[in-house]
Amino acid sequence: MQNMKNQVRGSGMDARSNPANVSDGLQNSSGHIGANTRYRLTKLGEQMARLPIDPKIARILLAAKKHDCMAEILVIASALSIQDPRERPLEARDAAAKAHERFTDKQSDFLAYLNIWDSFQRERDKGLSNKQQVQWCRQYFLSHLRMREWRELHHQLAQTAIEMGLTTKEAAFRQPPTQEQLRPSESQGDQDLAAKLKQKQLDKKQHRAQIRAAKEAGYEQIHRALLTGLIANVGMKSPDGNDYTGARGSRFHLFPASALFKAKPKWVMAAELVETTRLYARDVAVIQPEWIEQEAPHLVRYHYFEPHWEQKRGEVVASERVTLYGLTVLPRRPVSYGKVAPEEAREIFIRGALVAQESNLQTAFFAHNKKLIKEITELEHKSRKQDVLVDDEALFAFYNERLPELVWKDAKGGVWGSEEGGQIQSDKTADQNGQANQRNAGRVAQATHADSNDADNREREPSLHTRQNISDDPKPKKQPASQKGRLKPLPLADIRTFEAWLKTAERDNPRLLFLSRDDLMQHAAAHITEEQFPKFWQTADGKFKLSYRFEPHHPLDGVTMTVPLTILNRLHAPSLEWLVPGMLREKIQLLIKALPKQIRRICVPVPDFITKFLESNPDRQAAIIPQLAHFIAKSAGDMRILEQIDQDAWAAQELPEHCYLNLRIIDDGGQELAGGRKLHELQQQLGQAAAVTFRDNTQEFERDNVTTWDIGTLPESIKFARGKQQLTGYLGLQKEKDGRIALRLFDTTEAAEQAHRQGVIELMKLQLKEQVKDLNKGIQGFTQAAMLLKHINADTLRDDLTQAVCDRAFIGEDELPRNEKAFKEQIKRARSRLPAVKEALSRYLQETAAAYAELNGKLGKHPLTHLLRLRLQTLLAPGFASHTPWAQWPRLPIYLKAMTLRLEKYSGNPARDAAREADIQELEQMWQEKTDSLVKQGQPVSDDLAAFKWMIEELRVSLFAQELKTPYPVSVKRLVKEWEGLK
């Protein structure tokens, strides 16, 4: 820039222009001077050569005409061509800096020159003498000599610009802007004081906004003109430091005297780069990076990356990066890729929009192909083999063969797959419509010539879709020009162009892009039938949709059944084990594979064995494993093999996820509530909600506050409709939380029966008030028993005993009444049975309490104390009276006496006691695990399994107090055999 200033001063403004003077600034110019290495001047270069100043300044002056800011640019250009008029003496540096603050602009050092010029001009307009002007310049640390030189140079530049026709005499000389005063609103006269104050604030705000808008508009015009000549001096702030990255990899800092030094904006433009201890940018201003591309499109380069199909825009797009001398101006913006690389964009369009079906095409062929592909994909999901549908390359080849490389748009707007087809259509139109249409065709031909300028300086970066090397030529290959200029070539890379082409192409062949099953299927897949892979799961409550998916490790892998919440509790876990016929053989094969080798041999060959097993018509409502184990033993001809198969361990073997039916639970609105492959977990999670939902809108069957049997006859089940679904419910009486009795509808027989038993007992209590009142006072011997069983609260024990008496006396083993007659007969039986039951329970309670007291007194610090206290907590826990079966009440004192005898015998042979306890613990552990498993799975505990618990208690009597005798023979071997039978 210093060379530029010296050149201006040394050349003289009246010297004749010489093109040789331009060569010094050629490297840093905006590039319009020479078109090639021979420096052949362009029209713009010739204009610049006529100006005997630095090419950069010349270029700025020419741009000022375009942006209508010649007066401002003449001031700034002349200022840049002389030495800075501001003085900064070392002895008064701070005072100079403070004086110069008057002229500072926060966004631009260039505007500071305008502020100095305007201030000096205002002083001159006041008619000051030369001495007064010098004094004013000294006051603000300005060189009067340089100010005069500045004005002379400005006058010369202005005259040259006027002579070249760049501006008029009136527009060439800048007048200091007048500061408009705030004008009060016209309507203030009729307003009160508060309204006037508010209106004044609004007027001030509007006035400031007008000044700001005018300043911003002028700022952009001036700096865009400056940018054309200073394009090589732009820079972007480094993200990790205070320096700036400039063109060609340079790095510079803002000069400390700049008004922008502290702010450090993201993008700046500098008048010059001066290297001292560092490379400094002097006279800088804030710019927008978009201006660079707009003012120097011939210098920026375009890079394209990540081309892809974008469904929302309906076209192939790529990310475009704009650079200037290696400096990234715009890092990324989406552009249509068809204009950049038509062939690659067409391939991406086919793969994305047609093959992957990621588009919103509303055409017949697209809907047909999508439906057909979905049907064949479902076949793959069902067979769990990806060998039916052809791969994407086959689909691409199908479309690639039928879609043209380019399409051609005619004068009428029609789009054709070949240039010849479009020309024939245009010729027909011309023949039919005569000379008028021929003239229109001529105008279309003129309008369709491709403009090659917008393709300059564009290059593509390598992508996944092409392996071609990038050429050094910044210009991409032009699309082939249409013959006679009558048709316009278009890339086939967006939905609108494709639909327009399809409209004309389907006139000759309506099914041009329709796929057939033969095009899509690699083999027939005849084994995938609806019988093997049904669409619905059929139950007594209706049919439920099944969906298939082949995607290992995906949550929906396998077969999924969509189930309404209302029937969740009615699903039967064993029936779900059988999946669908097409997937059952694989599951059975994996089960057999999990068996020990000696048992697995029986099943060889496995496919034939599975066929025989399925032909034996197993019960599909029962679990698979017990039936399969029985069939293995039967096939071997030795039922003892059943004892060798540990069915619990076998069932615990984890199979692949798709071997279990996936359940998707939805509400009435179709929204998914939960999902999973373990029915018992879903029933635990949503079982209560399912029961409540099941009862919704069933008020016609239910009734609150039942005090007598006036509800008629209760049917075993009731069928009713819920939307399109036919459901079955079960009626029963239920005791509510507030103690009242209500008639309710239940979703399972088990829940209905359990609630109905308690409901009937509570209703009978209302009919037998006197007897229940007497019972609540306590049975004979209760006070003494409560004192002995002091680990249980007395009121809790009384209520528990009352409930046990009522359950036995009112119902016992009788069938639950379901009509008024049966209910009244049950009341009669209850009246007659109540005294006997009450007397018997009183006797059992006293014996149990006495035995407990005797045992508790002998525990002390005996080695068995901890073990026996655990047993007592199991037998005599709070609530034991209602939980103990009636048949076991007489045995409770015996179990306690057996513990006492065990204490007495322990010291004789502790090892024998420990060995027997170990045998019992093993049996008890098996029973506990089985019971916990059933409860966890939501399955009922059978009567035989519940009775096995009391058989273990009898075994304790037999082993530790044989003299007390047992009601039936028991031993460890007998119980093991009994357990095998239960399994």
Side-chain angles (χ1 to χ4, degrees), residues 108 161 168 236 341 349 629 664 756 856 881 908 936:
S108 173
T168 63
M236 182 181 71
F349 171 77
R664 177 173 170 265
H756 188 54
N856 196 39
K936 188 177 180 181

Side-chain angles (χ1 to χ4, degrees), residues 809 830-840:
R831 279 199 181 98
S832 62
R833 285 197 300 221
L834 188 57
V837 172
K838 184 177 178 181
E839 189 275 331

Side-chain angles (χ1 to χ4, degrees), residues 779-798 801 845-846 849-850 852:
I779 61 175
Q780 185 178 359
F782 170 76
T783 304
Q784 184 179 0
M787 292 176 63
L788 296 175
L789 299 173
K790 55 185 177 182
H791 65 288
I792 303 175
N793 180 272
D795 292 335
T796 302
L797 181 60
R798 181 186 294 106
L801 292 170
L845 177 63
Q846 293 179 51
Y852 173 79

Side-chain angles (χ1 to χ4, degrees), residues 391-537:
D391 59 11
D392 289 348
E393 291 303 320
L395 291 174
F396 173 78
F398 173 86
Y399 290 113
N400 186 47
E401 182 181 350
R402 289 160 176 77
L403 266 61
E405 294 291 335
L406 288 173
V407 295
W408 304 83
K409 186 176 182 180
D410 61 22
K412 287 286 187 179
V415 179
W416 302 84
S418 65
E419 190 174 11
E420 293 76 11
Q423 288 172 353
I424 292 172
Q425 181 67 20
S426 297
D427 293 341
K428 288 181 179 180
T429 304
D431 293 340
Q432 293 172 1
N433 298 303
Q435 295 182 356
N437 284 356
Q438 290 180 6
R439 286 195 299 270
N440 291 338
R443 286 195 295 269
V444 171
Q446 293 176 2
T448 53
H449 284 294
D451 183 4
S452 63
N453 289 337
D454 61 353
D456 289 351
N457 303 329
R458 297 175 181 266
E459 65 180 28
R460 286 185 292 121
E461 294 185 354
S463 69
L464 297 175
H465 304 283
T466 179
R467 295 185 181 179
Q468 298 177 354
N469 294 328
I470 298 176
S471 173
D472 293 332
D473 186 1
K475 297 182 180 180
K477 294 181 180 179
K478 296 180 181 179
Q479 298 176 0
S482 58
Q483 192 175 3
K484 299 181 183 179
R486 298 177 63 185
L487 299 176
K488 183 179 179 180
L490 297 174
L492 191 60
D494 62 272
I495 290 295
R496 292 181 62 184
T497 304
F498 173 77
E499 289 179 333
W501 165 80
L502 185 65
K503 186 176 180 181
T504 57
E506 286 186 339
R507 294 175 188 171
D508 298 330
N509 185 1
R511 300 188 66 83
L512 175 64
L513 298 181
F514 279 70
L515 287 162
S516 66
R517 295 185 78 88
D518 293 337
D519 293 327
L520 293 173
M521 296 183 67
Q522 299 185 47
H523 58 79
H527 64 288
I528 308 173
T529 63
E530 190 167 337
E531 181 182 357
Q532 293 292 309
F533 299 92
K535 295 182 180 179
F536 298 96
W537 183 280

